[in-house]
Amino acid sequence: MACLLETPIRMSVLSEVTASSRHYVDRLFDPDPQKVLQGVIDMKNAVIGNNKQKANLIVLGAVPRLLYLLQQETSSTELKTECAVVLGSLAMGTENNVKSLLDCHIIPALLQGLLSLDLKFIEACLRCLRTIFTSPVTPEELLYTDATVIPHLMALLSKSRYTQEYICQIFSHCCKGPDHQTILFNHGAVQNIAHLLTSVSYKVRMQALKCFSVLAFENPQVSMTLVNVLVDGELLPQIFVKMLQRDKPIEMQLTSAKCLTYMCRAGAIRTDDNCIVLKTLPCLVRMCSKERLLEERVEGAETLAYLIEPDVELQRIASITDHLIAMLADYFKYPSSVSAITDIKRLDHDLKHAHELRQAAFKLYASLGANDEDIRKKIIETENMMDRIVTGLSESSVKVRLAAVRCLHSLSRSVQQLRTSFQDHAVWKPLMKVLQNAPDEILVVASSMLCNLLLEFSPSKEPILESGAVELLCGLTQSENPALRVNGIWALMNMAFQAEQKIKADILRSLSTEQLFRLLSDSDLNVLMKTLGLLRNLLSTRPHIDKIMSTHGKQIMQAVTLILEGEHNIEVKEQTLCILANIADGTTAKELIMTNDDILQKIKYYMGHSHIKLQLAAMFCISNLIWNEEEGSQERQDKLRDMGIVDILHKLSQSPDSNLCDKAKTALQQYLA
């Protein structure tokens, strides 16, 4: 049966195809083996560099016949080898060609071919497998379906430089994520591939290097192993450092820098190690220069962003290396009208991929500005930087939008910039637009940034509130994504801090008590903590406390009871007791505690708890309830004395913790006054 292309071929085209290509397929069925061999050789010559001929032969059913001949025991090794070569050539055509080959189960047939004893046939099968596995339409899992394949490929590594090159290339393309890394690692990938770094063949060295970069990525186990591997008496990191020297090909420099970057991020190499500070980082900065090709600049900037992301010292060093901050500004001007690109193909390619440069620049700016105020200032003062970020927020590419939001989020950690540049450019407007309709990955970063714009000192807070932010954020708290729920409630918490009564009422109305209590029983600890933070901010200043407790008191007291009785950590219970302390500070609200014996017993219990934080929080509740200058204080003091609170206060006044001791003494003075 012929393996048809996904796109149906019109009959008129098929008739042309039949005339020019049919004879190639017919010869594959000749009873004379020599004529079949010659037919395959002629087919090989006909398809080289001819995508139309490749598609024609696939439509006419050449693939099943070639696979049949490849697997027949009666076929000569030469015929099998030529069949593998033709199949490899067909695979080098379009993605549709590869899909057709996969539909005909080419991979199991080629893997079976690797069991042959003939090296030329094995190499032809591997070359074809390499071409198929490097196609984006091939599922990587097909390499791991049969557990015997990986160990067999490891054994074939020693056969020739071609088996080494192709197998390493297959591994580096099919190693996606920790499960694949573990399989390859457990089958001895590190030991089997390490010595290939000293091969006489550049291609073998390069593919081995690429293997190590994908094996080490976010993998502490592999990275820790690589640090101690010796090859010809030299440690692997030293070999990688030699490979990123200026006289080496750019591809080798970049991939070596990636290996060292990934090992550093996985904790196998210290961030202050010379091989990172003096070798890897400067090499990656070099890759960002405008002399480099577009893809080299993209890869250099993205790898550097990843290297320095968690380390403030590396961020500072990078920011003053080769005028990097100014150099990145060129990423937005490419290709320019005066570009030196004379190669039309290259210019066409770069125009299609220029957005990748902008994405990489945003990513690197985000990492550079993650911690240091001076660096953020330098970034923002770079020509038209804020305008570029704002433009980036509305680009058609999701990846560029995401990188722009991340960059903005990084810069929004600066109090100074929130008050100046962010206000001057009304950044909140495009951000609110982004939040209206975006994929989750963008929403998570954009909502996280909104949390910063809603801080009480931010001038953007007011206009954001007026543009319908409350409803938007309340909507986020209902998301299935826990990160969005956290950010939604976090932003509301910031919004409620020292806010007017109207804003607090809007939040409670939009959120609804049902949703508030759903969030208080959320399985995600961060959501619970931020919801308690919101409640604490809502219940601040006496008139607000009394107003909210008069309408929602019963439900809030119920929620507080449930949390104090539940299996929660110290931080959760401390926040909950602080909410009670705020309620106890109300004028009428404190009666909701005084008339609730269950809550009073819980406060008493936490006064005697073994954890200082909980004792202090419980003490705040008591202090607010017994404060002398407030109406009804005598009755409250008497009730609490009858409960044994004064005895506990005497005990706590002897506490070795000075803070707790002082609070207890201050509370006792209320009884003496």
Side-chain angles (χ1 to χ4, degrees):
M1 188 196 92
C3 298
L4 292 175
L5 283 161
E6 286 188 344
T7 318
I9 305 278
R10 295 191 311 277
M11 285 313 294
S12 58
V13 178
L14 261 177
S15 55
E16 289 171 38
V17 166
T18 309
S20 65
S21 308
R22 169 64 71 188
H23 70 284
Y24 286 116
V25 180
D26 291 344
R27 288 166 70 190
L28 300 181
F29 292 88
D30 198 291
D32 182 346
Q34 272 308 113
K35 286 183 179 173
V36 173
L37 175 61
Q38 193 53 51
V40 175
I41 291 168
D42 290 347
M43 186 183 281
K44 174 179 73 176
N45 295 330
V47 296
I48 292 172
N50 187 335
N51 276 352
K52 188 178 177 187
Q53 186 71 279
K54 289 174 187 180
N56 292 349
L57 291 170
I58 289 172
V59 168
L60 290 167
V63 177
R65 184 62 183 170
L66 287 166
L67 286 171
Y68 171 79
L69 294 169
L70 180 116
Q71 294 174 92
Q72 271 300 92
E73 284 184 25
T74 53
S75 296
S76 68
T77 307
E78 189 182 358
L79 175 59
K80 288 179 178 180
T81 306
E82 291 295 347
C83 286
V85 171
V86 175
L87 288 164
S89 191
L90 294 177
M92 290 181 91
T94 64
E95 286 181 5
N96 269 341
N97 290 8
V98 178
K99 284 179 188 171
S100 298
L101 293 170
L102 290 171
D103 290 343
C104 291
H105 307 292
I106 189 172
I107 288 178
L110 291 169
L111 291 173
Q112 191 64 31
L114 299 181
L115 299 173
S116 163
L117 299 173
D118 186 272
L119 185 57
K120 285 275 172 274
F121 178 46
I122 289 171
E123 287 173 352
C125 287
L126 282 171
R127 193 181 303 116
C128 186
L129 280 166
R130 180 271 311 266
T131 305
I132 289 169
F133 274 120
T134 53
S135 165
V137 299
T138 308
E140 298 86 21
E141 284 306 324
L142 292 173
L143 184 67
Y144 305 94
T145 312
D146 180 343
T148 64
V149 170
I150 301 296
H152 187 61
L153 288 172
M154 293 292 177
L156 290 175
L157 273 170
S158 59
K159 297 295 179 189
S160 75
R161 71 185 185 88
Y162 294 113
T163 64
Q164 291 166 352
E165 180 193 335
Y166 304 147
I167 290 169
C168 284
Q169 203 169 352
I170 290 167
F171 284 164
S172 62
H173 273 273
C174 294
C175 184
K176 302 274 196 257
D179 291 348
H180 296 165
Q181 288 171 329
T182 302
I183 293 168
L184 293 173
F185 180 77
N186 289 344
H187 282 102
V190 173
Q191 296 76 2
N192 285 304
I193 296 170
H195 69 96
L196 303 182
L197 291 170
T198 56
S199 166
V200 291
S201 160
Y202 171 75
K203 285 183 176 177
V204 171
R205 292 201 304 279
M206 203 52 240
Q207 293 307 330
L209 199 54
K210 285 181 177 173
C211 256
F212 282 128
S213 78
V214 295
L215 282 168
F217 183 63
E218 293 187 343
N219 194 313
Q221 184 189 22
V222 174
S223 296
M224 293 292 188
T225 306
L226 291 181
V227 169
N228 300 310
V229 171
L230 278 169
V231 180
D232 294 347
E234 250 187 323
L235 286 167
L236 266 194
Q238 293 168 328
I239 293 173
F240 293 151
V241 166
K242 279 185 179 174
M243 288 177 148
L244 54 72
Q245 287 170 354
R246 288 170 188 260
D247 61 338
K248 296 290 185 287
I250 295 298
E251 179 189 32
M252 184 173 271
Q253 289 185 47
L254 247 177
T255 314
S256 305
K258 276 174 138 177
C259 289
L260 290 161
T261 293
Y262 298 160
M263 288 163 73
C264 178
R265 283 298 307 265
I269 300 175
R270 288 165 55 102
T271 53
D272 58 359
D273 192 296
N274 281 350
C275 77
I276 297 298
V277 178
L278 303 179
K279 301 291 182 182
T280 309
L281 187 147
C283 170
L284 290 169
V285 173
R286 280 202 307 277
M287 296 303 144
C288 299
S289 107
K290 58 175 148 192
E291 280 71 51
R292 300 267 55 87
L293 293 176
L294 178 141
E295 49 271 36
E296 293 161 358
R297 294 170 79 187
V298 168
E299 214 172 331
E302 292 196 340
T303 308
L304 183 56
Y306 182 66
L307 172 66
I308 68 174
E309 188 181 24
D311 191 273
V312 65
E313 200 46 47
L314 287 180
Q315 289 157 13
R316 286 181 185 137
I317 295 166
S319 73
I320 54 168
T321 304
D322 290 351
H323 308 289
L324 177 65
I325 291 174
M327 198 195 296
L328 285 177
D330 288 333
Y331 277 44
F332 297 95
K333 307 170 192 168
Y334 185 86
S336 65
S337 52
V338 292
S339 183
I341 301 174
T342 48
D343 179 347
I344 296 299
K345 258 190 177 174
R346 167 51 64 178
L347 185 61
D348 182 51
H349 168 274
D350 285 5
L351 284 166
K352 284 177 186 159
H353 293 270
H355 67 278
E356 291 176 20
L357 273 176
R358 296 193 292 279
Q359 178 192 333
F362 285 140
K363 277 186 184 176
L364 186 43
Y365 277 138
S367 282
L368 283 164
N371 295 289
D372 190 286
E373 191 64 35
D374 291 339
I375 298 174
R376 289 188 198 118
K377 191 167 182 287
K378 271 189 205 167
I379 292 169
I380 284 171
E381 286 170 357
T382 303
E383 51 177 319
N384 306 325
M385 193 60 219
M386 290 304 283
D387 291 334
R388 282 176 181 144
I389 299 174
V390 168
T391 305
L393 293 176
S394 55
E395 281 215 28
S396 57
S397 161
V398 172
K399 288 183 175 178
V400 177
R401 290 210 306 278
L402 178 58
V405 173
R406 280 198 174 131
C407 182
L408 209 48
H409 181 233
S410 179
L411 299 173
S412 75
R413 295 187 183 119
S414 160
V415 175
Q416 176 65 26
Q417 301 310 331
L418 281 176
R419 284 181 168 154
T420 54
S421 306
F422 277 62
Q423 188 60 11
D424 297 344
H425 291 83
V427 166
W428 64 270
K429 284 183 185 173
L431 186 73
M432 288 298 285
K433 203 171 167 189
V434 167
L435 283 161
Q436 303 300 333
N437 183 23
D440 270 14
E441 55 182 344
I442 290 181
L443 273 180
V444 168
V445 188
S447 56
S448 187
M449 190 194 149
L450 195 62
C451 294
N452 293 347
L453 291 179
L454 286 167
L455 288 165
E456 141 273 343
F457 52 75
S458 166
S460 308
K461 185 173 181 176
E462 196 101 349
I464 290 172
L465 283 168
E466 288 164 9
S467 68
V470 175
E471 289 78 7
L472 189 146
L473 294 168
C474 290
L476 288 183
T477 69
Q478 296 178 29
S479 168
E480 287 180 16
N481 184 332
L484 286 177
R485 293 203 300 281
V486 168
N487 287 349
I489 204 76
W490 194 340
L492 289 169
M493 181 185 89
N494 287 352
M495 196 185 273
F497 182 72
Q498 294 184 352
E500 298 166 14
Q501 174 65 37
K502 181 189 174 300
I503 293 169
K504 291 181 179 181
D506 282 351
I507 292 172
L508 274 170
R509 187 176 58 253
S510 295
L511 192 61
S512 83
T513 22
E514 291 78 12
Q515 178 59 6
L516 185 66
F517 296 123
R518 266 199 294 275
L519 293 165
L520 286 171
S521 55
D522 200 290
S523 57
D524 188 288
L525 177 62
N526 287 327
V527 173
L528 173 56
M529 282 296 284
K530 293 291 176 260
T531 309
L532 290 170
L534 168 64
L535 209 45
R536 193 172 165 182
N537 285 351
L538 289 171
L539 294 165
S540 62
T541 72
R542 281 183 187 171
H544 298 179
I545 295 167
D546 291 336
K547 178 90 173 109
I548 290 169
M549 291 307 287
S550 69
T551 51
H552 299 86
K554 191 181 168 190
Q555 298 99 314
I556 289 172
M557 294 305 283
Q558 206 176 344
V560 164
T561 307
L562 283 171
I563 292 170
L564 291 177
E565 282 176 355
E567 293 291 317
H568 293 291
N569 67 23
I570 299 296
E571 283 69 28
V572 168
K573 295 204 170 182
E574 181 193 16
Q575 274 280 28
T576 310
L577 286 166
C578 288
I579 289 168
L580 269 183
N582 283 13
I583 296 168
D585 193 38
T587 305
T588 54
K590 53 167 57 85
E591 284 312 307
L592 286 161
I593 297 176
M594 291 308 299
T595 54
N596 189 326
D597 287 344
D598 187 20
I599 285 285
L600 288 173
Q601 286 300 333
K602 283 180 170 51
I603 295 171
K604 179 183 174 183
Y605 165 76
Y606 284 109
M607 284 178 77
H609 199 275
S610 58
H611 205 288
I612 297 281
K613 279 185 174 180
L614 296 183
Q615 287 181 290
L616 277 168
M619 278 292 309
F620 276 117
C621 296
I622 294 298
S623 295
N624 284 346
L625 290 172
I626 63 173
W627 206 251
N628 255 331
E629 294 157 20
E630 289 165 16
E631 197 182 329
S633 61
Q634 191 58 55
E635 290 85 345
R636 289 192 294 277
Q637 285 183 7
D638 292 345
K639 181 168 182 176
L640 292 170
R641 179 189 278 113
D642 294 344
M643 280 179 61
I645 295 294
V646 175
D647 297 337
I648 298 174
L649 288 174
H650 279 296
K651 249 188 225 170
L652 294 178
S653 67
Q654 307 301 315
S655 168
D657 183 272
S658 58
N659 207 354
L660 192 57
C661 170
D662 291 347
K663 292 281 181 297
K665 285 176 180 173
T666 306
L668 282 169
Q669 280 168 3
Q670 297 304 307
Y671 274 95
L672 299 171

